[in-house]
Every structure is written in C-alpha cells, then in structure tokens.
C-alpha cells in the first residue's frame, strides 16, 4: 500500500475483554514496530519484528500483551483482559531495515486509539 | 537509567521566527538520533536524523545539532510557519538496536500567525 495502515482507527472496549489491533506495513518493508503513546506522552517501545528473526519483545508491559507477524507482512497486537491503563494510542511503523542499519526511515501509521471503559 | 528528555515542553513563536527545540539524552551508547513531527490525530513523521559522527545536519528549513559532550540535541526550524505547529519528538538509537528507538516526551510547538 501507499503507507502503513492500521485498523481499527478507534476501539472502545470493556475492561476484561480481549482486543486485536492490526497493522499492514508498507509492502517490502522487513522491519515492523509497535509503540504505545499515552495521552500527552512520548512513544513507548513495545515490540519489534525484523525479517525472520525472533522478535524483540522486551517492551511488552505484561504477559497480557502479545504480537505476531504472519508471512512477514501483516501484524496483529493482542491485548488480553484489557485494563483501563491500557488506554492509549497504539502506533505501528515499518521500514526497510532497522536492526543493524541506521538511516532507514520508519513510516508510522495513524494509530489505533484504544479506550478501555 | 536511560532516558531522552526535553528541556521545554511547550514553545510558542510568531510566524517567520526561528524555532529551537531542545532534547537531552543520557545513554552515551546512542549513536543515532532522529526528530519526528506529530500533528494532531496523525502518526509521527520523520523530519531529520543525524549520526553521532556528525555535529550538524541540514535539511529543508531544518537543522539538527548534536553536542555529544553534553549529550544534547536540538532542532532548529527556520522561518517557522503555522503548518509547523505540532508536537516534536526526539528519539535515540543504539548500534544493532535501531528498531528499538527511545523517544522523548515531546515539545508542543505553537506558531502564531
């Protein structure tokens, strides 16, 4: 596609429910990242996929959070048993490569605004 | 611990003025720095980046300065326009970990016509 696409753009869910957020990266981009942005805050790293390598999950805040990337393209971020503190904008980005190479611009999607009530 | 922080959370300027947004970083292992612009309701947009082997890099109306001695990064915007109003984030990356950028909290730039 022309850019990184995320869906849904907005999600309101009840506390305790599971949610799935989807990211379609730019075609051909091997690196994909998920970040979380709370209101008025900077971006918090969650997880990073690079090609066929094992993902870097070091930013996932709890075991309720998981992510997968199928076929090296689309990624889903799953939050189980959502809590109110999970409310944030979840941003996905992709780039050609970012593991060992710098200067590879990451393109961000518009994010999914998650509200847990 | 490692952190990337901003000196000024908000900055208001008049149209046509030059803007300077500052950022401090604490991880001396970081060797790659990026500035992003985020408009309301949108994802961050890459502005300019710089490697640690440089102290200055210029783009279109923007200049990034890096002072490794004091671990300080700044973004200069020349002839600021109302369309420059946004939140600006600095981010740092480390060797072999460029996918795991550390972002600062952001500076809100407001440009008054």
């Amino acid at each position: 596609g022309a850019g990184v696409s995320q869906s849904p753009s907005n999600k309101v869910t009840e506390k305790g429910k599971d949610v799935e957020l989807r990211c379609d990266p730019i075609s051909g981009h091997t690196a994909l990242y998920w970040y979380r942005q709370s209101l008025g805050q900077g971006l918090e790293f969650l997880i990073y996929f690079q090609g066929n390598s094992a993902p870097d999950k070091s930013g996932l805040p709890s075991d309720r959070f998981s992510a997968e990337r199928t076929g090296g393209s689309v990624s889903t971020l799953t939050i189980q048993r959502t809590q109110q503190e999970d409310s944030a904008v979840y941003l996905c980005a992709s780039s050609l490569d970012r593991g060992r190479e710098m200067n590879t611009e990451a393109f961000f999607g518009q994010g999914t605004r998650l509200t847990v009530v | 611990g490692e952190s990337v922080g901003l000196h000024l959370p908000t900055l208001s300027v008049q149209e046509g003025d030059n803007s300077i947004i500052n950022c401090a970083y604490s991880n001396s292992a970081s060797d790659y720095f990026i500035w992003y612009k985020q408009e309301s309701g949108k994802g961050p947009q890459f502005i300019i980046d710089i490697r640690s082997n440089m102290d200055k890099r210029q783009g279109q109306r923007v200049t990034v300065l890096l002072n490794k001695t004091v671990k300080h990064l700044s973004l200069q915007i020349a002839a600021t326009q109302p369309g420059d109003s946004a939140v600006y984030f600095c981010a740092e990356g480390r060797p072999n970990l460029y996918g795991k950028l550390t972002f600062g909290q952001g500076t809100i730039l407001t440009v008054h016509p």
Side-chain angles (χ1 to χ4, degrees):
Chain A
V4 177
S5 177
Q6 292 187 245
S7 61
S9 54
N10 283 283
K11 176 71 176 177
V12 179
T13 189
E14 292 181 351
K15 177 182 174 181
K17 300 284 189 183
D18 298 352
V19 294
E20 274 192 2
L21 313 181
R22 178 187 169 103
C23 173
D24 283 89
I26 294 173
S27 179
H29 281 190
T30 58
L32 185 147
Y33 335 79
W34 284 97
Y35 285 84
R36 178 169 71 174
Q37 185 174 32
S38 300
L39 185 64
Q41 300 295 313
L43 278 68
E44 174 190 3
F45 169 81
L46 296 177
I47 188 169
Y48 160 57
F49 296 90
Q50 173 56 53
N52 295 322
S53 302
D56 179 345
K57 304 180 181 180
S58 59
L60 295 178
S62 76
D63 58 8
R64 295 187 295 105
F65 288 73
S66 62
E68 62 178 25
R69 189 179 185 192
T70 54
S73 181
V74 172
S75 177
T76 55
L77 177 69
T78 302
I79 309 173
Q80 296 177 309
R81 304 180 302 282
T82 52
Q83 304 295 313
Q84 288 185 330
E85 60 262 29
D86 299 334
S87 296
V89 175
Y90 289 82
L91 288 158
C92 175
S94 72
S95 70
L96 283 170
D97 182 273
R98 211 64 183 271
R100 299 176 185 275
E101 298 293 326
M102 61 174 82
N103 290 3
T104 306
E105 182 178 344
F107 295 84
F108 280 84
Q110 290 194 337
T112 293
R113 182 175 298 278
L114 175 66
T115 304
V116 182
V117 298
Chain B
E2 44 181 81
S3 67
V4 179
L6 294 167
H7 295 307
L8 298 174
T10 61
L11 178 64
S12 293
V13 300
Q14 291 296 126
E15 182 177 2
D17 287 351
N18 296 331
S19 302
I20 300 177
I21 301 171
N22 296 302
C23 178
Y25 66 95
S26 59
N27 193 328
S28 57
S30 295
D31 66 351
Y32 178 53
F33 305 88
I34 315 166
W35 281 101
Y36 283 92
K37 172 186 180 183
Q38 187 175 27
E39 296 175 282
S40 180
K42 297 183 179 180
Q45 179 183 8
F46 174 93
I47 302 174
I48 192 168
D49 59 4
I50 189 168
R51 302 184 183 198
S52 60
N53 62 353
M54 304 170 68
D55 53 21
K56 181 179 180 179
R57 192 169 187 218
Q58 289 184 296
Q60 186 176 11
R61 284 201 305 118
V62 294
T63 300
V64 56
L65 299 177
L66 176 63
N67 185 330
K68 295 180 289 295
T69 302
V70 296
K71 297 189 183 69
H72 185 267
L73 188 70
S74 68
L75 176 70
Q76 300 179 359
I77 305 174
T80 317
Q81 303 168 359
D84 295 329
S85 294
V87 180
Y88 289 81
F89 295 96
C90 62
E92 60 175 318
R94 289 173 287 161
N96 297 327
L97 289 173
Y98 301 120
K100 191 177 175 182
L101 297 173
T102 300
F103 281 79
Q105 289 194 336
T107 291
I108 301 172
L109 174 65
T110 303
V111 182
H112 300 283

